Each structure stands twice: as structure tokens, then as C-alpha cells.
Amino acid sequence: MNAPGQYSKPAVIVHWMIAILVLVALPLGYYMTDLSLSPRKLQLISWHKWIGFTVLLLFIPRLIVRLTRPVPAPVDTMPGWQRAVASITHVVLYALIIGVPLSGWMMSSAKGFPVVYLGLVPLPDLVGKDEALGDLLKSAHELLTSGLLILVGLHIAAALKHHIIDRDETLVRMVPLLKR
């Protein structure tokens, strides 16, 4: 069970696994899009897809942990408006953690590019091949990714603000090695 005011170990582990993967996938995605078509670009695209699908897979235990383990209440000193923004941000982050990889997978399907997880497991197409739909899904993937990048930046900035300026326990609860 959690120590009072702490996230459970499974919550912390899955949070950081997803965070690391997202922090790798975002710059990789932006970098690879500007490359000329080459074997290197195709390899990077594969890695990007693998990371995205892994994030989708990890979302399942993340959701189970969130639904079955108590989440610590915000620190007492946090103003109501910050609590509201934090709640909304978490809901939207969860939606984007699902939406970004799914839109990428659907885009690949619509454009006729298979997703083969880890180069071993072919994943089913989520939509039929349709170039116009593929272009629309590409735009959606880019827009959702931009939203994710903004919210991840906001999430990190808020956590650091709580730790450095407010000097409260918010960040310490998700990074137990830190001390106030």
C-alpha cells in the first residue's frame, strides 16, 4: 500500500516508463520527418511506431493502477484553480497518450504502411487504405502531438515550480528519491 501522500510504486514505475518513451518519441518524430527517404529514415520510423505502440500497451496497466490504487490528494497549500488545471491536464494527457499513438497507427494503415511491432508482430490495419484519409490522419497526428508536447512541457514546468518555488511535496511524491 502507498505511504500516506505517496503514489504507489506501480503508479510511479508506469508513469516514468511512459514519460521516458514519450520524451524519446517526440523528438524522434520531429527529427525523422525532415529526413530524405532512406533506410535510416525507415528504421527511425519503425522505432517511432514501436515506441508509440509500447506507450499504448503501457497505458493499460497505467489505467488499471489509476482505477485501483488511491491517488494522493493535492497538497493542502495548492490553490483551487491549480487543482482544477492539474485535473484537466491529467485527463487531457491521458487522452493524448492514447490519441497520439492511435492516430499514428491509423495514419500508417490508411497510407498502406504496415506496423510490425518490434519487427516481429504485424499489427492489424485500423482503417482501410485511403490516401485522403491518410493525409487527414497525418494532420491529426501532428496536431495531437503538438498538444502533447505543450502539455508535457506544462506538466514538467508545474512539477518543477512546485518543487523549486513552492517547496512542497508534489514532485517528491512521483520522484521518491528527491528530498524537499
Side-chain angles (χ1 to χ4, degrees):
M1 205 64 182
N2 312 6
Q6 294 292 318
Y7 284 95
S8 67
K9 284 184 184 180
V12 172
I13 290 167
V14 176
H15 171 274
W16 286 109
M17 289 173 73
I18 290 174
I20 289 166
L21 291 171
V22 166
L23 291 172
V24 170
L26 286 171
L28 178 59
Y30 283 111
Y31 172 73
M32 71 185 195
T33 56
D34 291 334
L35 296 177
S36 302
L37 187 60
S38 67
R40 177 75 175 150
K41 180 174 183 168
L42 295 175
Q43 181 63 64
L44 294 176
I45 290 170
S46 291
W47 290 349
H48 183 75
K49 290 178 182 182
W50 300 348
I51 293 168
F53 189 71
T54 303
V55 167
L56 275 177
L57 290 176
L58 286 171
F59 187 76
I60 296 166
R62 178 73 175 127
L63 187 59
I64 291 169
V65 167
R66 182 69 183 223
L67 295 173
T68 61
R69 304 278 179 128
V71 175
V75 294
D76 294 337
T77 57
M78 187 183 297
W81 71 268
Q82 285 183 14
R83 291 172 190 241
V85 169
S87 293
I88 292 166
T89 300
H90 279 100
V91 169
V92 177
L93 272 171
Y94 278 24
L96 290 171
I97 286 169
I98 296 169
V100 171
L102 275 180
S103 65
W105 185 0
M106 291 169 63
M107 174 185 63
S108 289
S109 297
K111 290 188 170 272
F113 300 118
V115 178
V116 183
Y117 187 56
L118 302 176
L120 301 170
V121 181
L123 301 180
D125 287 337
L126 297 181
V127 297
K129 187 173 179 180
D130 179 330
E131 195 63 33
L133 178 60
D135 291 340
L136 180 65
L137 288 165
K138 180 178 189 262
S139 295
H141 186 64
E142 291 170 349
L143 181 65
L144 292 172
T145 298
S146 295
L148 181 60
L149 181 62
I150 290 165
L151 280 184
V152 165
L154 178 63
H155 186 68
I156 292 168
L160 292 174
K161 176 241 183 224
H162 280 283
H163 191 68
I164 297 167
I165 296 171
D166 298 342
R167 302 186 63 76
D168 65 30
E169 297 293 316
T170 301
L171 182 59
V172 174
R173 296 181 319 175
M174 190 51 78
V175 186
L177 298 177
L178 289 178
K179 300 290 182 221
R180 231 179 106 172

